[in-house]
Amino acid sequence: MRHAILAKLVVGFAVVGLAALAAEMAPIDIKLPQAYFGGTPLNYPGEHLEESTGLPREPFSAPKGAAVLSQGKPVTSSSANPTFGKLSMITDGEKGYQQEFLTELAPGTQWVQIDLGEPCEIYAIVVWHFHQGERVYYDFVVRTADDADFKTNVQKLYNNDFDNSSGLGVGNDKEYIESNEGRLVSALRDGKGTLGRYVRLYSKGNTTDDANHYVEVEVWGKPRPKK
């Protein structure tokens, strides 16, 4: 009898806790660029490719007050001299499918890195690769860290490198086809953000060519409260 009462109390507290957490959350307002309606449908069957639902992405809720932290922030890369565009364009707020918004990096595994300028609570990262037509980017990996060299508090948020061809470990996340929605990578763990200052995104070519492309990256979160 005593155990049953305790179990009910635990369940009750859990329900109250979840309700309180939900009340503190709100959908983030992601501004989507215009969709591209051209090109040839991609023929890329595979067990690692995410099945398309044909429906818009569900709203993503984060703690109230979340904002884009990355706009205008400095970007560095393993491919320091892009073959097209500029690294600064990756955080300039322009997300269109047109080539004028595109930054192209060299072939092979390459990364871009955003310095948020201070420790932050990161709730989501949204990335637009080149979405003029259907493409799948290989070995897409997203990590956060406290330091620029990625040695302290390194957190893996996404990895679809199923065969470890980029040497970052085997990933179990799905490959996906680019669209104007971009890819939203959640950084929430039990309703709390991932702490970090730097965000690094990897890729290794795509289904059209060997280059690596970025149009825009948005990091959503809040600056970490100062002690």
Side-chain angles (χ1 to χ4, degrees):
M1 181 67 177
R2 184 177 180 183
H3 288 167
I5 294 175
L6 287 173
K8 289 182 178 179
L9 286 173
V10 169
V11 171
F13 287 141
V15 171
V16 171
L18 290 173
L21 179 62
E24 297 172 355
M25 308 285 278
I28 60 175
D29 185 18
I30 302 171
K31 305 296 186 186
L32 297 185
Q34 183 180 359
Y36 179 76
F37 297 103
T40 304
L42 179 66
N43 182 17
Y44 179 68
E47 60 180 305
H48 303 288
L49 183 64
E50 183 177 83
E51 184 175 351
S52 174
T53 65
L55 300 173
R57 180 172 57 219
E58 292 288 330
F60 178 85
S61 290
K64 292 179 178 177
V68 177
L69 304 173
S70 52
Q71 187 157 347
K73 295 296 170 57
V75 181
T76 54
S77 174
S78 56
S79 179
N81 298 306
T83 53
F84 192 88
K86 299 177 181 178
L87 294 176
S88 60
M89 293 164 58
I90 296 172
T91 55
D92 68 355
E94 297 286 357
K95 314 168 191 174
Y97 62 76
Q98 297 87 348
Q99 285 198 352
E100 65 188 277
F101 304 124
L102 177 66
T103 299
E104 181 178 276
L105 310 179
T109 302
Q110 304 289 353
W111 52 259
V112 296
Q113 180 170 304
I114 300 168
D115 178 3
L116 300 177
E118 60 183 323
C120 295
E121 294 178 359
I122 300 170
Y123 306 137
I125 296 161
V126 191
V127 54
W128 288 263
H129 293 108
F130 193 27
H131 54 98
Q132 188 185 85
E134 295 187 344
R135 298 169 184 243
V136 172
Y137 285 83
Y138 304 126
D139 299 2
F140 176 55
V141 179
V142 182
R143 290 177 167 179
T144 62
D146 289 346
D147 64 308
D149 294 327
F150 272 67
K151 295 181 179 178
T152 306
N153 187 30
V154 179
Q155 302 293 321
K156 182 192 72 176
L157 302 181
Y158 198 93
N159 183 355
N160 67 15
D161 183 7
F162 60 86
D163 59 0
N164 196 26
S165 57
S166 285
L168 299 168
V170 175
N172 296 317
D173 294 306
K174 289 291 189 180
E175 296 182 325
Y176 62 95
I177 297 174
E178 289 294 322
S179 76
N180 69 313
E181 286 194 330
R183 186 62 170 189
L184 188 150
V185 175
S186 175
L188 290 178
R189 302 291 183 266
D190 297 325
K192 297 181 179 178
T194 297
L195 300 179
R197 170 173 170 171
Y198 296 88
V199 178
R200 186 181 285 188
L201 305 95
Y202 301 79
S203 62
K204 188 181 181 183
N206 63 87
T207 48
T208 299
D209 54 47
D210 293 333
N212 296 280
H213 302 122
Y214 289 88
V215 171
E216 186 71 12
V217 176
E218 288 185 346
V219 180
W220 286 77
K222 297 179 186 176
R224 187 177 184 181
K226 294 181 173 57
K227 295 181 180 178

